[in-house]
Amino acid sequence: MEYRYRPSSHTFALERKNLAQALATIKKRIQALLDNKGTPVSGYNDITVYQAVARGQQIWYEEWDRHGHNPYYGRIEYVDRTEGEEPTVVYVSKAQRSLEFEDANGRLVDIIPWNAPVARMFITHRSVPGQWDLDRVTRIGIDNLEVVEVADTFRGPMLPPLPDSEGENAAEQLFEKRGGGKLSDIVATLQEEQYDLIVQPLRQNLVIQGGPGSGKTEIALHRIVHLLHSAALSPQQILYLGPSGPFLRYVSDILPSLDAQDVVLHDLVSWLSRELGVPVRKKSASSDDALLYDEVFTQRLERWVDHYAANLAKNLGDLRMAFDVETVSGRHQGTLELSSAQVYETFATSSRYSLRERWRLLRHRWDQMVETALAGAESRQLTSYQKLARQRFDHWQEQVPRVETLQDLMAIYPVARQEAGIEAPFHRESVWALADALALLFLAGRFLGHSQHYALVVLDEAQDVPAVGFALAEQLVSTNGSLTLVGDPFQHLNPYTEVENWSEVANRLHAQHVELLDNYRSGAQIVHLANAAHPAGIKQVPRRGGGIIHPPVKVSESKVAEAVMQEVVRGKREYLGQVAVIFANKAPRDLLERFQRLKPETIEMAFEPENPEPYDVIMATVEYAKGLEFDMVILMAETEEAFETTGAGAYQLFTGISRAREEVMMMGLRHLPKLYGRCYRQALRMTKFGSSALR
Ligand SMILES: Nc1ncnc2c1ncn2[C@@H]1O[C@H](COP(=O)(O)OP(=O)(O)OP(=O)(O)O)[C@@H](O)[C@H]1O
């Protein structure tokens, strides 16, 4: 329950005044900065301090210029036990720079960032024992510089009851429709479990597993924002890898809206292809390379690298150099030796270093031996022996094949792959399959080392990423950084990536592993339908009401285009956001053409566009639609097997249904889809017997 104030109430009036005060303060300070009168950009004789202050002011200006029209989500009233009994008031905002203003009662209050520790109480509605006693949490809706809503979402027991004239109790707000086909920031309605993941320290690895619409992508992106500010990371220290270009467009608004302007989001395939300098394709090469996707493949590659290193050491033999020098204490002669045992030790046991680093270690060791043995030698002699020693080393090293570039590695990759047990032949094609490309870059890490490491690596929609991709992501994390893996193993569409649970991955990474069960995307009916279709029977909890589901229908070849267009037109009329027509595997080309011919001029529709944004209707396969959301989804079973239990069908059905926010239907081309039909009946029973209760 929450307490909503009437617009005529005293509290509402007070918040109107407070907003006016806050807006005036922001305006004044921005103006002062523009006039260059802001405190203080002069008077510093140290230029770096001066520049830092000026830069700070610039950022402050940019942030408040952006958020000034909507400066906060609400306020918290609490007693800070460390400071006495006086209540403190803070307003919670999107901006990362605080601002102080004088409220309508003449008190100085702060507007603080949403991820500041105190702001957690805005979400949890709980005191922090011994530190902060929470009295009141108020949500303040602001639109067009006006207060449009004031509601206490928490009132402590010490607060006096409010007179009826002020407002009334009302059911808590649900996560209602905002329309549009883009993900937006959710700071105002963040939930505790989401917030706590977002603000985990930089070094904490996370494995965030959860059903569709549970906010996994939101959490990952908000975490980036939080770490950029709290750990003072630069955008270049962040590597975010998502499943596709259209998905990146779908999520691209969040970071800039939360003041993370320059983080570049990558889709895995394009990023890999840039890193390797070769084209990479998403689909696997053949049907017999399941092992390529398995963790065992990574382990075998690791072992192969170790064998490779050990063999090098064996083939190298000893490195020797005789010397004879004059020192102050007399003549000094002998033979320097880097024994094969020492070489083996460096090469075969220091597996945390890349091979390139191991060579460097060896060279360093040899240089040191020379330096120690020739200590005190006359300088000309020393220089010439050092030169000779280097030549010996180079010559000795040349006995074995060297892998120095990515091209060298590409040349030996087929051997590595075969040695790791992949039977399907590797064709040196112009395009690399995803798993091979990941394995190659992983090997590059072991052989050459990566040129760049990242403080935060995020792998989103990771369920379809081959296991070697996880190992690569781990490799790319810098010493003080961490990895965040995000996805839903039950939405996996690739037949080889079936992993029931990511606990083992989490264990290996010493990661915090969470499974999120709430669904914020879809109306309750749709969640019930998705639950009935869940391949492992996991039940999500709907956090929104409504949702419309339809029984399956059979459509004939001649009527299908008309039937779909009729629904599309209706969907466009009823919803603000996009409509999607989703096929399981392959959209028949003639059907797509018929859709296009039949569509009214006012409707823009496209098949799997690189940029889905401008279109009213998206036609796509489930693979494309992964991670995206639409107001209405028409599932199109193009064959009798499509969306059925065989193969990936059940996963496709579950993923397909879960794309919908408001409405789902299923059409079978020349047949009645069976699995969907069963799920539909089950979902209806759930609702009928009252289990659609929302949290
Ligand atoms: N706390 C919240 N308040 C309001 N909306 C939320 C909240 N959490 C998530 N959402 C909304 O739920 C929808 C799904 O979020 P998101 O795409 O992050 O989920 P996901 O778990 O990544 O889904 P999928 O597995 O389908 O990719 C989005 O519209 C998002 O804005």
Side-chain angles (χ1 to χ4, degrees):
M1 276 304 216
E2 58 185 37
Y3 186 88
R4 289 206 198 130
Y5 293 91
R6 293 182 218 291
S8 56
S9 66
H10 171 72
T11 305
F12 214 103
L14 196 67
E15 288 310 332
R16 274 195 205 106
K17 282 190 205 151
N18 286 342
L19 178 64
Q21 295 277 102
L23 293 176
T25 309
I26 293 168
K27 208 166 155 192
K28 213 163 80 198
R29 281 200 54 185
I30 285 185
Q31 197 52 51
L33 283 174
L34 289 177
D35 297 345
N36 211 2
K37 285 192 300 211
T39 37
V41 250
S42 60
Y44 285 95
N45 44 19
D46 181 332
I47 186 70
T48 39
V49 175
Y50 175 89
Q51 281 170 340
V53 172
R55 177 79 194 120
Q57 289 184 342
Q58 174 72 20
I59 294 173
W60 189 98
Y61 161 73
E62 283 167 9
E63 276 197 26
W64 281 105
D65 193 40
R66 245 188 326 269
H67 304 304
H69 61 285
N70 200 347
Y72 42 72
Y73 304 112
R75 72 203 277 284
I76 322 172
E77 214 170 297
Y78 65 101
V79 175
D80 187 337
R81 285 275 157 241
T82 58
E83 295 201 344
E85 296 294 315
E86 273 300 297
T88 306
V89 173
V90 291
Y91 285 75
V92 178
S93 105
K94 214 181 252 194
Q96 288 288 321
R97 300 295 188 281
S98 305
L99 167 74
E100 190 183 60
F101 74 98
E102 192 179 306
D103 75 3
N105 293 325
R107 266 185 312 192
L108 282 179
V109 295
D110 283 311
I111 306 181
I112 60 165
W114 58 272
N115 48 342
V118 166
R120 186 170 183 272
M121 291 191 288
F122 188 73
I123 289 156
T124 62
H125 296 172
R126 277 198 312 275
S127 302
V128 177
Q131 197 171 5
W132 301 314
D133 286 351
L134 185 62
D135 281 336
R136 186 178 155 206
V137 177
T138 310
R139 185 177 68 236
I140 301 172
I142 297 168
D143 190 25
N144 237 342
L145 305 177
E146 295 286 339
V147 176
V148 292
E149 184 192 36
V150 181
D152 282 351
T153 51
F154 171 82
R155 289 182 65 80
M158 306 306 282
L159 290 187
L162 286 156
D164 283 350
S165 57
E166 275 287 283
E168 61 189 2
N169 284 323
E172 233 176 84
Q173 255 200 351
L174 289 166
F175 302 88
E176 283 318 329
K177 180 179 158 59
R178 290 157 302 154
K182 293 203 86 177
L183 213 58
S184 54
D185 82 76
I186 52 160
V187 171
T189 50
L190 268 177
Q191 299 299 288
E192 187 172 346
E193 66 177 352
Q194 298 179 320
Y195 183 89
D196 286 345
L197 289 166
I198 291 166
V199 299
Q200 283 302 312
L202 175 60
R203 292 199 67 165
Q204 180 64 57
N205 287 330
L206 296 177
V207 173
I208 304 174
Q209 177 180 343
S214 55
K216 299 181 294 296
T217 297
E218 292 274 20
I219 295 168
L221 293 166
H222 283 70
R223 178 161 169 72
I224 289 178
V225 175
H226 171 69
L227 290 177
L228 272 175
H229 296 290
S230 71
L233 299 185
S234 73
Q236 293 71 31
Q237 286 175 287
I238 290 168
L239 177 65
Y240 173 96
L241 298 169
S244 66
F247 178 83
L248 298 186
R249 288 217 161 75
Y250 162 68
V251 305
S252 62
D253 278 355
I254 300 180
L255 296 183
S257 82
L258 289 169
D259 298 325
Q261 309 290 341
D262 303 319
V263 180
V264 183
L265 305 178
H266 301 275
D267 77 88
L268 180 61
V269 167
S270 326
W271 176 80
L272 263 177
S273 130
R274 254 196 319 277
E275 290 291 303
L276 296 174
V278 293
V280 176
R281 72 182 139 77
K282 205 172 206 165
K283 292 258 160 36
S284 56
S286 57
S287 55
D288 51 356
D289 56 5
L291 183 60
L292 269 173
Y293 278 74
D294 201 289
E295 212 185 299
V296 173
F297 179 50
T298 316
Q299 290 158 5
R300 291 189 186 168
L301 282 181
E302 284 276 15
R303 240 180 292 146
W304 177 77
V305 176
D306 289 341
H307 280 149
Y308 184 94
N311 270 339
L312 274 190
K314 266 192 226 138
N315 293 337
L316 275 166
D318 303 337
L319 171 61
R320 289 208 187 84
M321 182 180 80
F323 64 91
D324 184 351
V325 288
E326 284 301 329
T327 69
V328 271
S329 50
R331 196 155 173 208
H332 181 40
Q333 58 185 158
T335 303
L336 283 176
E337 181 181 295
L338 194 58
S339 72
S340 57
Q342 287 168 318
V343 174
Y344 187 84
E345 183 195 278
T346 308
F347 255 104
T349 56
S350 49
S351 58
R352 71 200 161 96
Y353 297 111
S354 69
L355 258 70
R356 185 184 269 165
E357 284 164 326
R358 292 184 227 180
W359 277 116
R360 254 189 238 130
L361 280 178
L362 218 49
R363 185 186 279 276
H364 182 68
R365 201 163 170 175
W366 177 243
D367 285 348
Q368 290 220 305
M369 279 171 108
V370 175
E371 217 169 284
T372 320
L374 304 185
E378 188 258 323
S379 91
R380 250 199 24 244
Q381 272 190 326
L382 177 63
T383 321
S384 81
Y385 268 114
Q386 277 173 331
K387 197 168 155 209
L388 182 68
R390 250 172 249 138
Q391 281 168 355
R392 285 278 163 86
F393 189 94
D394 290 344
H395 188 67
W396 171 77
Q397 198 181 20
E398 273 158 21
Q399 298 174 86
V400 290
R402 301 281 305 280
V403 176
E404 308 221 297
T405 63
L406 209 51
Q407 271 62 38
D408 297 343
L409 201 56
M410 281 180 186
I412 59 168
Y413 178 71
V415 179
R417 190 181 190 266
Q418 200 178 6
E419 295 283 312
I422 308 294
E423 280 173 19
F426 178 76
H427 302 290
R428 188 172 307 286
E429 299 168 64
S430 51
V431 184
W432 283 62
L434 176 64
D436 284 316
L438 286 167
L440 178 67
L441 197 54
F442 171 75
L443 285 179
R446 306 294 286 115
F447 273 82
L448 311 170
H450 295 292
S451 54
Q452 194 180 352
H453 288 87
Y454 302 87
L456 178 69
V457 177
V458 178
L459 200 53
D460 201 349
E461 299 283 342
Q463 66 272 11
D464 283 325
V465 176
V468 66
F470 290 18
L472 170 66
E474 241 180 292
Q475 260 184 3
L476 288 166
V477 174
S478 58
T479 324
N480 291 321
S482 66
L483 175 62
T484 294
L485 274 184
V486 181
D488 179 5
F490 299 103
Q491 289 182 63
H492 84 87
L493 299 174
N494 187 306
Y496 305 135
T497 46
E498 191 162 354
V499 193
E500 294 284 295
N501 190 302
W502 283 347
S503 340
E504 273 178 33
V505 180
N507 275 345
R508 213 189 51 240
L509 291 170
H510 304 291
Q512 181 177 340
H513 179 203
V514 288
E515 289 188 61
L516 306 172
L517 282 177
D518 289 352
N519 185 318
Y520 303 93
R521 173 184 292 137
S522 310
Q525 278 279 20
I526 298 168
V527 176
H528 293 314
L529 182 63
N531 281 347
H534 196 289
I538 292 178
K539 302 279 174 257
Q540 273 198 296
V541 182
R543 296 295 301 264
R544 297 185 51 214
I548 300 170
I549 60 175
H550 296 273
V553 289
K554 171 180 171 178
V555 284
S556 66
E557 183 80 52
S558 60
K559 298 268 174 58
V560 60
E562 285 81 359
V564 169
M565 282 325 293
Q566 197 179 337
E567 294 302 337
V568 161
V569 170
R570 181 179 64 77
K572 261 331 285 168
R573 213 174 36 235
E574 288 182 18
Y575 302 112
L576 278 175
Q578 291 171 313
V579 174
V581 182
I582 301 180
F583 296 82
N585 295 305
K586 202 164 169 36
R589 182 190 284 234
D590 63 316
L591 201 54
L592 296 179
E593 284 167 1
R594 272 154 66 201
F595 287 163
Q596 288 288 7
R597 277 202 301 277
L598 273 179
K599 81 171 183 61
E601 259 182 24
T602 50
I603 289 184
E604 295 294 334
M605 71 193 251
F607 179 72
E608 301 196 346
E610 188 46 38
N611 179 6
E613 248 178 275
Y615 297 97
D616 306 303
V617 182
I618 301 293
M619 299 177 290
T621 54
V622 185
E623 175 71 44
Y624 173 97
K626 179 162 77 171
L628 305 182
E629 64 186 29
F630 307 94
D631 278 0
M632 178 177 175
V633 167
I634 303 168
L635 297 172
M636 229 9 267
E638 67 270 25
T639 61
E640 283 204 34
E641 291 76 42
F643 295 115
E644 292 297 334
T645 39
T646 48
Y651 292 92
Q652 286 168 336
L653 179 64
F654 175 63
T655 309
I657 292 171
S658 308
R659 299 308 94 209
R661 292 176 52 81
E662 309 296 335
E663 187 169 345
V664 182
M665 62 182 62
M666 163 76 90
M667 294 187 189
L669 193 56
R670 300 180 296 267
H671 73 284
L672 196 65
K674 291 194 278 302
L675 178 58
Y676 176 93
R678 281 203 299 280
C679 297
Y680 172 76
R681 288 190 293 279
Q682 209 174 317
L684 276 197
R685 277 201 299 278
M686 297 266 294
T687 319
K688 194 165 161 198
F689 298 121
S691 44
S692 71
L694 297 167
R695 267 240 238 129

